[in-house]
Coordinates of all heavy atoms in Angstrom, one line a residue:
M370 N 258.1 53.8 -87.1 CA 257.1 52.8 -87.1 C 255.9 53.1 -86.2 O 254.8 52.9 -86.6 CB 257.7 51.5 -86.6 CG 258.6 50.8 -87.6 SD 259.4 49.3 -86.9 CE 258.1 48.4 -86.2
L371 N 256.2 53.7 -85.1 CA 255.1 54.1 -84.2 C 254.2 55.1 -84.8 O 253.0 55.0 -84.7 CB 255.7 54.6 -82.9 CG 254.7 54.8 -81.7 CD1 254.0 53.5 -81.4 CD2 255.4 55.3 -80.5
G372 N 254.8 56.1 -85.5 CA 254.0 57.1 -86.1 C 253.1 56.5 -87.2 O 251.9 56.9 -87.4
L373 N 253.6 55.6 -87.9 CA 252.8 54.9 -89.0 C 251.7 54.1 -88.4 O 250.5 54.2 -88.9 CB 253.8 53.9 -89.8 CG 253.1 53.1 -90.9 CD1 252.5 54.1 -92.0 CD2 254.1 52.2 -91.5
Q374 N 252.0 53.4 -87.3 CA 250.9 52.7 -86.6 C 249.8 53.6 -86.1 O 248.6 53.3 -86.2 CB 251.5 51.8 -85.4 CG 252.3 50.7 -85.9 CD 252.9 49.9 -84.7 OE1 252.9 50.4 -83.6 NE2 253.6 48.8 -85.0
W375 N 250.2 54.7 -85.5 CA 249.3 55.7 -85.0 C 248.4 56.3 -86.2 O 247.2 56.4 -86.0 CB 250.0 56.9 -84.3 CG 249.1 57.9 -83.8 CD1 248.8 59.1 -84.3 CD2 248.3 57.8 -82.6 NE1 247.9 59.8 -83.5 CE2 247.6 59.0 -82.4 CE3 248.1 56.8 -81.6 CZ2 246.7 59.3 -81.4 CZ3 247.2 57.0 -80.6 CH2 246.5 58.2 -80.5
S376 N 249.0 56.6 -87.3 CA 248.2 57.1 -88.4 C 247.2 56.1 -89.0 O 246.2 56.5 -89.6 CB 249.2 57.6 -89.5 OG 249.9 56.6 -90.1
Q377 N 247.5 54.8 -88.8 CA 246.6 53.8 -89.3 C 245.4 53.5 -88.3 O 244.5 52.8 -88.7 CB 247.4 52.5 -89.6 CG 248.3 52.7 -90.8 CD 249.2 51.5 -91.0 OE1 249.3 50.6 -90.2 NE2 249.9 51.5 -92.1
L378 N 245.5 54.0 -87.1 CA 244.4 53.8 -86.1 C 243.2 54.6 -86.5 O 243.3 55.7 -87.0 CB 244.8 54.2 -84.7 CG 245.8 53.2 -84.0 CD1 246.1 53.8 -82.6 CD2 245.2 51.9 -83.8
G379 N 242.0 54.1 -86.2 CA 240.8 54.8 -86.4 C 240.6 55.8 -85.3 O 241.2 55.8 -84.3
P380 N 239.6 56.8 -85.5 CA 239.4 57.8 -84.5 C 239.0 57.3 -83.2 O 239.4 57.8 -82.1 CB 238.3 58.7 -85.1 CG 238.0 58.2 -86.5 CD 238.8 56.9 -86.7
N381 N 238.2 56.2 -83.1 CA 237.8 55.6 -81.8 C 239.0 55.0 -81.1 O 239.1 55.2 -79.9 CB 236.7 54.6 -82.0 CG 235.4 55.2 -82.5 OD1 235.1 56.3 -82.3 ND2 234.6 54.3 -83.1
D382 N 239.8 54.3 -81.8 CA 241.0 53.7 -81.2 C 242.0 54.8 -80.7 O 242.6 54.7 -79.6 CB 241.8 52.8 -82.2 CG 241.0 51.6 -82.5 OD1 240.2 51.1 -81.6 OD2 241.2 51.0 -83.6
K383 N 242.1 55.9 -81.4 CA 243.0 57.0 -81.0 C 242.4 57.7 -79.7 O 243.2 58.0 -78.8 CB 243.1 58.1 -82.1 CG 244.0 57.7 -83.2 CD 244.1 58.8 -84.2 CE 245.0 58.4 -85.4 NZ 245.2 59.5 -86.4
Q384 N 241.1 57.8 -79.7 CA 240.4 58.4 -78.5 C 240.7 57.5 -77.3 O 241.0 58.0 -76.2 CB 238.9 58.6 -78.8 CG 238.3 59.3 -77.6 CD 236.8 59.5 -77.9 OE1 236.2 59.0 -78.9 NE2 236.1 60.2 -77.0
K385 N 240.6 56.2 -77.4 CA 240.8 55.3 -76.3 C 242.2 55.4 -75.8 O 242.5 55.4 -74.6 CB 240.5 53.8 -76.8 CG 239.1 53.5 -76.9 CD 238.9 52.1 -77.4 CE 237.4 51.8 -77.7 NZ 237.3 50.4 -78.3
K386 N 243.2 55.4 -76.8 CA 244.6 55.5 -76.4 C 244.9 56.8 -75.7 O 245.6 56.9 -74.7 CB 245.5 55.4 -77.7 CG 245.4 54.1 -78.4 CD 246.1 53.0 -77.5 CE 246.1 51.7 -78.3 NZ 246.5 50.6 -77.5
N387 N 244.3 57.9 -76.2 CA 244.5 59.2 -75.5 C 243.9 59.2 -74.1 O 244.5 59.8 -73.2 CB 243.9 60.3 -76.4 CG 244.8 60.7 -77.6 OD1 246.0 60.5 -77.5 ND2 244.1 61.1 -78.7
Q388 N 242.7 58.6 -73.9 CA 242.1 58.5 -72.6 C 243.0 57.7 -71.7 O 243.2 58.0 -70.5 CB 240.7 57.9 -72.7 CG 239.7 58.9 -73.3 CD 238.4 58.2 -73.6 OE1 238.2 57.0 -73.6 NE2 237.4 59.1 -73.8
E389 N 243.5 56.6 -72.2 CA 244.4 55.7 -71.3 C 245.7 56.5 -71.0 O 246.2 56.5 -69.8 CB 244.9 54.5 -72.1 CG 243.8 53.5 -72.3 CD 244.2 52.3 -73.1 OE1 245.5 52.1 -73.3 OE2 243.4 51.6 -73.7
A390 N 246.2 57.3 -71.9 CA 247.4 58.1 -71.6 C 247.1 59.2 -70.6 O 247.9 59.4 -69.7 CB 247.9 58.7 -72.9
E391 N 246.0 59.8 -70.7 CA 245.6 60.8 -69.7 C 245.4 60.2 -68.3 O 245.8 60.8 -67.3 CB 244.3 61.5 -70.1 CG 243.9 62.7 -69.3 CD 244.9 63.8 -69.2 OE1 245.6 64.0 -70.2 OE2 245.1 64.4 -68.2
K392 N 244.8 59.0 -68.3 CA 244.7 58.3 -67.0 C 246.0 58.0 -66.4 O 246.2 58.2 -65.2 CB 243.8 57.0 -67.2 CG 243.5 56.3 -65.9 CD 242.7 55.0 -66.2 CE 242.5 54.2 -65.0 NZ 241.7 53.0 -65.2
D393 N 246.9 57.5 -67.2 CA 248.3 57.2 -66.7 C 249.0 58.4 -66.2 O 249.7 58.4 -65.2 CB 249.1 56.5 -67.8 CG 248.7 55.1 -68.1 OD1 248.0 54.5 -67.3 OD2 249.1 54.6 -69.2
K394 N 248.8 59.5 -66.9 CA 249.5 60.8 -66.6 C 249.0 61.3 -65.2 O 249.8 61.7 -64.4 CB 249.1 61.8 -67.7 CG 249.7 63.2 -67.4 CD 249.4 64.2 -68.5 CE 249.8 65.6 -68.2 NZ 249.4 66.5 -69.3
Q395 N 247.6 61.2 -65.0 CA 247.1 61.6 -63.7 C 247.6 60.7 -62.6 O 247.9 61.2 -61.5 CB 245.6 61.6 -63.8 CG 245.0 62.7 -64.7 CD 245.4 64.1 -64.3 OE1 245.5 64.4 -63.1 NE2 245.7 64.8 -65.3
H396 N 247.7 59.4 -62.8 CA 248.2 58.5 -61.8 C 249.7 58.9 -61.5 O 250.1 58.9 -60.3 CB 248.2 57.1 -62.4 CG 248.7 56.0 -61.4 ND1 250.0 55.6 -61.4 CD2 248.1 55.4 -60.4 CE1 250.1 54.7 -60.5 NE2 249.0 54.6 -59.8
D397 N 250.5 59.2 -62.5 CA 251.9 59.6 -62.2 C 252.0 60.9 -61.5 O 252.8 61.0 -60.6 CB 252.6 59.7 -63.6 CG 252.9 58.3 -64.3 OD1 252.7 57.3 -63.6 OD2 253.2 58.3 -65.5
I398 N 251.1 61.8 -61.8 CA 251.2 63.1 -61.1 C 250.8 62.9 -59.6 O 251.4 63.5 -58.7 CB 250.2 64.1 -61.8 CG1 250.8 64.5 -63.1 CG2 249.9 65.3 -60.9 CD1 249.8 65.4 -64.0
T399 N 249.8 62.1 -59.4 CA 249.4 61.8 -58.0 C 250.5 61.2 -57.2 O 250.8 61.5 -56.1 CB 248.1 60.9 -58.0 OG1 247.1 61.6 -58.7 CG2 247.6 60.7 -56.6
G400 N 251.1 60.2 -57.8 CA 252.2 59.5 -57.2 C 253.4 60.4 -56.9 O 254.0 60.4 -55.8
L401 N 253.7 61.3 -57.8 CA 254.8 62.2 -57.6 C 254.5 63.2 -56.5 O 255.3 63.5 -55.6 CB 255.1 63.0 -58.9 CG 256.2 64.1 -58.8 CD1 257.5 63.5 -58.4 CD2 256.3 64.9 -60.1
T402 N 253.3 63.7 -56.5 CA 252.8 64.6 -55.4 C 252.9 64.0 -54.1 O 253.4 64.6 -53.1 CB 251.4 65.1 -55.7 OG1 251.4 65.8 -57.0 CG2 251.0 66.2 -54.7
D403 N 252.4 62.7 -54.0 CA 252.5 62.0 -52.7 C 254.0 61.9 -52.2 O 254.3 62.0 -51.1 CB 251.9 60.6 -52.8 CG 250.4 60.7 -53.0 OD1 249.8 61.7 -52.8 OD2 249.8 59.6 -53.4
Y404 N 254.9 61.5 -53.2 CA 256.3 61.4 -52.8 C 256.9 62.7 -52.4 O 257.6 62.7 -51.4 CB 257.1 60.8 -54.0 CG 258.5 60.8 -53.8 CD1 259.2 60.1 -52.8 CD2 259.4 61.6 -54.6 CE1 260.5 60.1 -52.6 CE2 260.7 61.7 -54.4 CZ 261.3 60.9 -53.4 OH 262.7 61.0 -53.2
Q405 N 256.5 63.8 -53.1 CA 257.1 65.1 -52.7 C 256.6 65.6 -51.3 O 257.2 66.4 -50.8 CB 256.8 66.1 -53.8 CG 257.5 65.9 -55.1 CD 257.1 66.8 -56.2 OE1 256.0 67.3 -56.2 NE2 258.0 67.0 -57.1
N406 N 255.6 65.0 -50.8 CA 255.1 65.3 -49.5 C 255.7 64.5 -48.3 O 255.4 64.7 -47.2 CB 253.6 65.3 -49.4 CG 252.9 66.4 -50.2 OD1 253.4 67.5 -50.2 ND2 251.8 66.1 -50.9
T407 N 256.6 63.6 -48.7 CA 257.2 62.7 -47.7 C 258.5 63.4 -47.1 O 259.1 64.3 -47.7 CB 257.7 61.4 -48.3 OG1 258.7 61.6 -49.2 CG2 256.5 60.6 -48.9
E408 N 258.8 63.0 -45.8 CA 260.0 63.5 -45.2 C 261.2 63.1 -45.9 O 262.2 63.9 -46.0 CB 260.0 63.1 -43.7 CG 259.2 63.9 -42.8 CD 259.6 65.4 -42.7 OE1 260.8 65.7 -42.7 OE2 258.7 66.2 -42.8
A409 N 261.2 61.9 -46.5 CA 262.4 61.5 -47.2 C 262.8 62.4 -48.4 O 263.9 62.7 -48.6 CB 262.2 60.0 -47.7
Y410 N 261.8 62.9 -49.1 CA 262.0 63.8 -50.2 C 262.5 65.1 -49.7 O 263.4 65.7 -50.3 CB 260.7 64.0 -51.0 CG 260.9 64.9 -52.2 CD1 261.6 64.5 -53.3 CD2 260.3 66.2 -52.2 CE1 261.8 65.4 -54.4 CE2 260.5 67.0 -53.3 CZ 261.2 66.6 -54.4 OH 261.4 67.4 -55.4
K411 N 261.9 65.6 -48.6 CA 262.3 66.9 -48.0 C 263.8 66.8 -47.6 O 264.5 67.8 -47.7 CB 261.4 67.3 -46.9 CG 260.0 67.7 -47.4 CD 259.0 67.9 -46.3 CE 257.6 68.1 -46.9 NZ 256.6 68.3 -45.8
D412 N 264.2 65.7 -46.9 CA 265.6 65.5 -46.5 C 266.5 65.5 -47.7 O 267.6 66.1 -47.7 CB 265.7 64.2 -45.8 CG 265.1 64.3 -44.4 OD1 264.9 65.4 -43.9 OD2 264.9 63.2 -43.8
F413 N 266.1 64.8 -48.8 CA 266.8 64.8 -50.0 C 267.1 66.2 -50.6 O 268.2 66.6 -51.0 CB 266.1 63.9 -51.1 CG 266.6 64.1 -52.5 CD1 267.8 63.6 -52.9 CD2 265.9 64.9 -53.4 CE1 268.3 63.8 -54.2 CE2 266.3 65.1 -54.7 CZ 267.5 64.5 -55.1
L414 N 266.0 67.0 -50.6 CA 266.2 68.4 -51.1 C 267.1 69.2 -50.2 O 267.9 70.0 -50.7 CB 264.8 69.1 -51.2 CG 263.8 68.6 -52.2 CD1 262.5 69.4 -52.2 CD2 264.4 68.8 -53.6
R415 N 267.0 69.0 -48.9 CA 267.9 69.8 -48.0 C 269.4 69.4 -48.3 O 270.2 70.3 -48.4 CB 267.6 69.4 -46.5 CG 266.5 70.3 -46.0 CD 266.4 70.0 -44.5 NE 265.0 70.0 -44.2 CZ 264.3 68.9 -43.9 NH1 264.8 67.7 -43.8 NH2 263.0 69.0 -43.7
K416 N 269.6 68.1 -48.4 CA 271.0 67.6 -48.6 C 271.5 68.1 -50.0 O 272.7 68.5 -50.1 CB 271.1 66.1 -48.5 CG 270.9 65.6 -47.1 CD 270.9 64.1 -47.1 CE 270.6 63.6 -45.7 NZ 270.4 62.1 -45.6
K417 N 270.7 68.1 -51.0 CA 271.0 68.5 -52.3 C 271.4 70.0 -52.3 O 272.4 70.4 -52.9 CB 269.9 68.2 -53.3 CG 270.2 68.5 -54.7 CD 269.0 68.2 -55.6 CE 269.3 68.6 -57.0 NZ 268.1 68.4 -57.9
A418 N 270.6 70.8 -51.7 CA 270.8 72.2 -51.6 C 272.1 72.5 -50.9 O 272.9 73.4 -51.3 CB 269.6 72.9 -51.0
L419 N 272.4 71.8 -49.8 CA 273.6 72.1 -49.0 C 274.8 71.6 -49.8 O 275.9 72.3 -49.7 CB 273.5 71.4 -47.7 CG 272.5 72.1 -46.7 CD1 272.4 71.2 -45.4 CD2 272.9 73.5 -46.3
S420 N 274.7 70.5 -50.5 CA 275.9 70.0 -51.2 C 276.2 70.9 -52.5 O 277.3 71.0 -52.9 CB 275.7 68.6 -51.6 OG 274.7 68.5 -52.6
R421 N 275.2 71.5 -53.0 CA 275.4 72.3 -54.2 C 275.8 73.7 -53.9 O 276.4 74.4 -54.7 CB 274.1 72.4 -55.1 CG 273.8 71.0 -55.7 CD 272.6 71.1 -56.6 NE 273.0 71.7 -57.8 CZ 272.2 72.3 -58.6 NH1 270.9 72.4 -58.3 NH2 272.6 72.8 -59.7
G422 N 275.5 74.2 -52.7 CA 275.8 75.6 -52.3 C 277.2 76.0 -52.6 O 277.4 77.0 -53.3
P423 N 278.2 75.3 -52.1 CA 279.6 75.8 -52.3 C 280.0 75.8 -53.8 O 280.8 76.6 -54.3 CB 280.5 74.8 -51.5 CG 279.5 74.3 -50.5 CD 278.2 74.3 -51.1
K424 N 279.4 74.9 -54.6 CA 279.8 74.8 -56.0 C 279.2 76.0 -56.7 O 279.8 76.5 -57.7 CB 279.2 73.5 -56.6 CG 279.8 72.3 -56.1 CD 279.1 71.1 -56.7 CE 279.7 69.8 -56.0 NZ 279.0 68.6 -56.4
L425 N 278.1 76.6 -56.3 CA 277.5 77.7 -56.9 C 278.2 79.0 -56.6 O 278.0 80.0 -57.2 CB 276.0 77.8 -56.5 CG 275.1 76.7 -57.0 CD1 273.7 76.9 -56.4 CD2 275.0 76.6 -58.5
C426 N 279.1 79.0 -55.6 CA 279.8 80.2 -55.2 C 281.0 80.5 -56.1 O 281.6 81.6 -55.9 CB 280.3 80.1 -53.7 SG 278.9 80.0 -52.6
G427 N 281.3 79.7 -57.0 CA 282.4 80.0 -57.9 C 283.7 79.4 -57.5 O 283.8 78.6 -56.6
P428 N 284.8 79.9 -58.1 CA 286.1 79.4 -57.8 C 286.5 79.7 -56.3 O 286.1 80.7 -55.8 CB 287.0 80.1 -58.8 CG 286.3 81.1 -59.4 CD 284.8 80.9 -59.2
Q429 N 287.3 78.8 -55.8 CA 287.8 79.0 -54.4 C 288.7 80.3 -54.4 O 289.6 80.4 -55.2 CB 288.6 77.8 -53.9 CG 287.7 76.6 -53.9 CD 286.6 76.6 -53.0 OE1 286.7 77.2 -51.9 NE2 285.5 76.1 -53.3
G430 N 288.4 81.1 -53.4 CA 289.2 82.4 -53.3 C 289.4 82.8 -51.9 O 289.3 82.0 -51.0
A431 N 289.7 84.1 -51.7 CA 289.9 84.6 -50.4 C 288.7 84.5 -49.5 O 288.8 84.4 -48.3 CB 290.4 86.1 -50.5
D432 N 287.5 84.6 -50.1 CA 286.3 84.6 -49.3 C 285.8 83.1 -49.0 O 284.7 83.0 -48.4 CB 285.2 85.3 -50.1 CG 285.5 86.8 -50.3 OD1 286.3 87.3 -49.5 OD2 284.9 87.3 -51.2
T433 N 286.6 82.1 -49.4 CA 286.1 80.7 -49.2 C 285.7 80.4 -47.8 O 284.7 79.8 -47.5 CB 287.2 79.8 -49.7 OG1 287.5 80.0 -51.0 CG2 286.8 78.3 -49.5
E434 N 286.6 80.8 -46.8 CA 286.3 80.5 -45.4 C 284.9 81.1 -45.0 O 284.1 80.5 -44.4 CB 287.4 81.0 -44.6 CG 287.3 80.6 -43.1 CD 288.6 81.0 -42.4 OE1 289.7 80.6 -42.8 OE2 288.4 81.6 -41.3
M435 N 284.7 82.4 -45.4 CA 283.5 83.0 -45.0 C 282.3 82.4 -45.7 O 281.3 82.2 -45.1 CB 283.5 84.5 -45.5 CG 282.3 85.3 -45.0 SD 282.3 87.0 -45.4 CE 282.4 87.1 -47.1
E436 N 282.4 82.0 -47.0 CA 281.3 81.3 -47.7 C 281.0 80.0 -47.0 O 279.8 79.7 -46.8 CB 281.7 81.1 -49.2 CG 281.7 82.4 -49.9 CD 282.1 82.2 -51.4 OE1 282.5 81.1 -51.7 OE2 282.1 83.2 -52.1
E437 N 282.0 79.2 -46.7 CA 281.8 77.9 -46.1 C 281.1 78.1 -44.7 O 280.2 77.3 -44.4 CB 283.1 77.1 -46.0 CG 283.6 76.6 -47.3 CD 284.9 75.9 -47.2 OE1 285.5 75.9 -46.1 OE2 285.4 75.5 -48.3
E438 N 281.6 79.1 -44.0 CA 281.0 79.3 -42.7 C 279.5 79.7 -42.8 O 278.7 79.3 -42.1 CB 281.8 80.4 -42.0 CG 281.4 80.6 -40.6 CD 282.4 81.7 -40.0 OE1 283.6 81.3 -39.8 OE2 281.9 82.8 -39.7
T439 N 279.2 80.6 -43.8 CA 277.9 81.0 -44.1 C 277.0 79.9 -44.5 O 275.8 79.8 -44.1 CB 277.9 82.1 -45.1 OG1 278.7 83.2 -44.7 CG2 276.5 82.7 -45.3
M440 N 277.5 78.9 -45.3 CA 276.7 77.8 -45.8 C 276.5 76.7 -44.7 O 275.7 75.9 -44.9 CB 277.4 77.2 -47.0 CG 277.3 78.1 -48.2 SD 275.7 78.7 -48.6 CE 274.9 77.1 -49.0
A441 N 277.2 76.7 -43.6 CA 277.0 75.7 -42.6 C 275.6 75.8 -42.1 O 275.1 76.9 -41.8 CB 278.1 75.9 -41.5
P442 N 275.0 74.7 -41.8 CA 273.6 74.8 -41.3 C 273.6 75.3 -39.9 O 274.4 75.0 -39.1 CB 273.1 73.3 -41.3 CG 274.3 72.5 -41.6 CD 275.4 73.4 -42.1
D443 N 272.6 76.2 -39.7 CA 272.4 76.8 -38.4 C 271.8 75.7 -37.4 O 270.8 75.1 -37.8 CB 271.5 78.0 -38.5 CG 271.4 78.8 -37.3 OD1 271.8 78.4 -36.2 OD2 270.8 79.9 -37.3
P444 N 272.4 75.5 -36.2 CA 271.8 74.5 -35.3 C 270.3 74.8 -35.0 O 269.6 73.9 -34.8 CB 272.7 74.6 -34.1 CG 273.9 75.4 -34.4 CD 273.5 76.2 -35.7
I445 N 269.9 76.0 -35.0 CA 268.6 76.4 -34.8 C 267.7 75.8 -35.9 O 266.5 75.4 -35.7 CB 268.4 77.9 -34.7 CG1 269.2 78.4 -33.4 CG2 266.9 78.3 -34.5 CD1 269.2 79.9 -33.3
D446 N 268.2 75.8 -37.1 CA 267.4 75.4 -38.3 C 267.5 73.9 -38.5 O 267.1 73.4 -39.6 CB 267.8 76.1 -39.5 CG 267.5 77.6 -39.5 OD1 266.6 77.9 -38.7 OD2 268.1 78.3 -40.3
S447 N 268.0 73.1 -37.6 CA 268.3 71.7 -37.8 C 267.0 70.9 -38.0 O 267.0 69.8 -38.5 CB 269.1 71.1 -36.7 OG 268.4 71.1 -35.5
N448 N 265.8 71.4 -37.5 CA 264.6 70.7 -37.7 C 263.7 71.3 -38.7 O 262.4 71.2 -38.6 CB 263.9 70.6 -36.3 CG 264.6 69.8 -35.3 OD1 265.2 68.8 -35.6 ND2 264.7 70.3 -34.1
L449 N 264.2 71.8 -39.8 CA 263.4 72.4 -40.8 C 262.5 71.4 -41.5 O 262.9 70.2 -41.7 CB 264.3 73.0 -41.9 CG 265.1 74.3 -41.5 CD1 266.0 74.7 -42.6 CD2 264.2 75.4 -41.2
T450 N 261.3 71.8 -41.8 CA 260.4 70.9 -42.6 C 260.5 71.3 -44.1 O 260.0 70.6 -44.9 CB 259.0 71.0 -42.1 OG1 258.6 72.3 -42.1 CG2 258.9 70.4 -40.7
A451 N 261.0 72.5 -44.4 CA 261.2 73.0 -45.8 C 262.6 72.7 -46.2 O 263.5 72.5 -45.4 CB 260.9 74.5 -45.8
P452 N 262.9 72.7 -47.5 CA 264.2 72.4 -48.0 C 265.3 73.3 -47.4 O 266.3 72.9 -47.0 CB 264.1 72.5 -49.5 CG 262.7 72.3 -49.8 CD 261.9 72.8 -48.6
L453 N 265.0 74.6 -47.4 CA 265.9 75.6 -46.8 C 265.1 76.7 -46.2 O 264.0 77.0 -46.6 CB 266.8 76.2 -47.9 CG 268.0 75.4 -48.4 CD1 268.7 76.2 -49.5 CD2 269.0 75.1 -47.2
S454 N 265.6 77.3 -45.1 CA 264.9 78.4 -44.5 C 265.1 79.6 -45.4 O 266.1 79.7 -46.2 CB 265.5 78.6 -43.1 OG 266.8 79.1 -43.2
T455 N 264.3 80.6 -45.2 CA 264.4 81.8 -46.0 C 265.8 82.5 -45.6 O 266.4 83.0 -46.5 CB 263.3 82.8 -45.6 OG1 262.0 82.1 -45.9 CG2 263.4 84.1 -46.4
Q456 N 266.1 82.4 -44.4 CA 267.4 83.0 -43.9 C 268.6 82.4 -44.6 O 269.5 83.0 -45.1 CB 267.6 82.8 -42.4 CG 268.9 83.4 -41.9 CD 269.1 83.1 -40.4 OE1 268.2 82.5 -39.8 NE2 270.1 83.6 -39.9
A457 N 268.6 81.0 -44.8 CA 269.7 80.3 -45.5 C 269.7 80.7 -46.9 O 270.8 80.9 -47.5 CB 269.5 78.8 -45.3
I458 N 268.6 80.8 -47.6 CA 268.6 81.2 -49.0 C 269.1 82.6 -49.2 O 269.9 82.9 -50.0 CB 267.1 81.1 -49.6 CG1 266.7 79.6 -49.6 CG2 267.0 81.7 -51.0 CD1 265.3 79.4 -49.9
L459 N 268.6 83.6 -48.3 CA 269.1 84.9 -48.4 C 270.6 85.0 -48.1 O 271.3 85.7 -48.8 CB 268.3 85.8 -47.5 CG 266.8 86.1 -47.9 CD1 266.1 86.8 -46.8 CD2 266.7 86.8 -49.2
T460 N 271.0 84.3 -47.1 CA 272.4 84.3 -46.8 C 273.3 83.8 -47.9 O 274.3 84.4 -48.3 CB 272.7 83.5 -45.5 OG1 271.9 84.0 -44.4 CG2 274.2 83.5 -45.1
F461 N 272.9 82.7 -48.5 CA 273.6 82.2 -49.6 C 273.6 83.1 -50.8 O 274.6 83.4 -51.4 CB 273.0 80.8 -50.1 CG 273.6 80.3 -51.3 CD1 274.9 79.8 -51.4 CD2 272.9 80.4 -52.5 CE1 275.5 79.4 -52.5 CE2 273.5 79.9 -53.7 CZ 274.8 79.4 -53.7
T462 N 272.5 83.7 -51.1 CA 272.4 84.6 -52.3 C 273.3 85.8 -52.1 O 274.0 86.2 -52.9 CB 270.9 85.1 -52.5 OG1 270.1 83.9 -52.7 CG2 270.8 86.0 -53.7
L463 N 273.2 86.4 -50.9 CA 274.0 87.6 -50.6 C 275.5 87.3 -50.6 O 276.3 88.0 -51.2 CB 273.7 88.2 -49.2 CG 272.3 88.8 -49.2 CD1 271.9 89.2 -47.7 CD2 272.2 90.0 -50.1
T464 N 275.9 86.1 -50.1 CA 277.3 85.7 -50.1 C 277.8 85.4 -51.5 O 278.9 85.9 -51.9 CB 277.5 84.5 -49.2 OG1 277.0 84.7 -47.9 CG2 278.9 84.1 -49.1
R465 N 277.0 84.7 -52.3 CA 277.4 84.4 -53.6 C 277.6 85.6 -54.4 O 278.5 85.7 -55.3 CB 276.3 83.5 -54.2 CG 276.6 83.0 -55.6 CD 275.5 82.3 -56.2 NE 274.4 83.3 -56.2 CZ 273.3 83.2 -56.9 NH1 273.2 82.2 -57.7 NH2 272.3 84.1 -56.8
D466 N 276.7 86.6 -54.3 CA 276.8 87.8 -55.0 C 277.9 88.8 -54.5 O 278.2 89.8 -55.1 CB 275.5 88.6 -55.0 CG 274.4 87.8 -55.8 OD1 274.8 86.9 -56.6 OD2 273.2 88.1 -55.6
G467 N 278.5 88.5 -53.4 CA 279.5 89.3 -52.8 C 279.1 90.4 -52.0 O 279.9 91.3 -51.7
H468 N 277.8 90.5 -51.7 CA 277.3 91.6 -50.8 C 276.8 91.0 -49.5 O 276.1 90.1 -49.5 CB 276.1 92.3 -51.5 CG 276.5 92.8 -52.9 ND1 276.3 92.1 -54.0 CD2 277.0 94.0 -53.2 CE1 276.7 92.8 -55.0 NE2 277.2 94.0 -54.6
L469 N 277.3 91.6 -48.4 CA 276.8 91.1 -47.1 C 276.1 92.2 -46.4 O 276.3 93.4 -46.5 CB 278.0 90.6 -46.3 CG 278.6 89.3 -46.7 CD1 279.8 89.0 -45.8 CD2 277.5 88.2 -46.6

């Protein structure tokens, strides 16, 4: 039905609708960018990354203790403003791949 209604619109009406859609899109992008710059969003990303880390390491095995220890947040990094420090990402990647 929507496609039929769109095809029946004249060129001027289509242009107005497209301009409104573009304006709404820009508003949404601005709102998302503003949200992504908040501390609440950065905290969310940190928690999400830490909670997903052990799941990405695969089945529980002999290296589980080492992986959990490696994934524990470093007290020095407790005040990060980024989702994860480069050290944490590299440590996770190396541990997950089985190379230390």
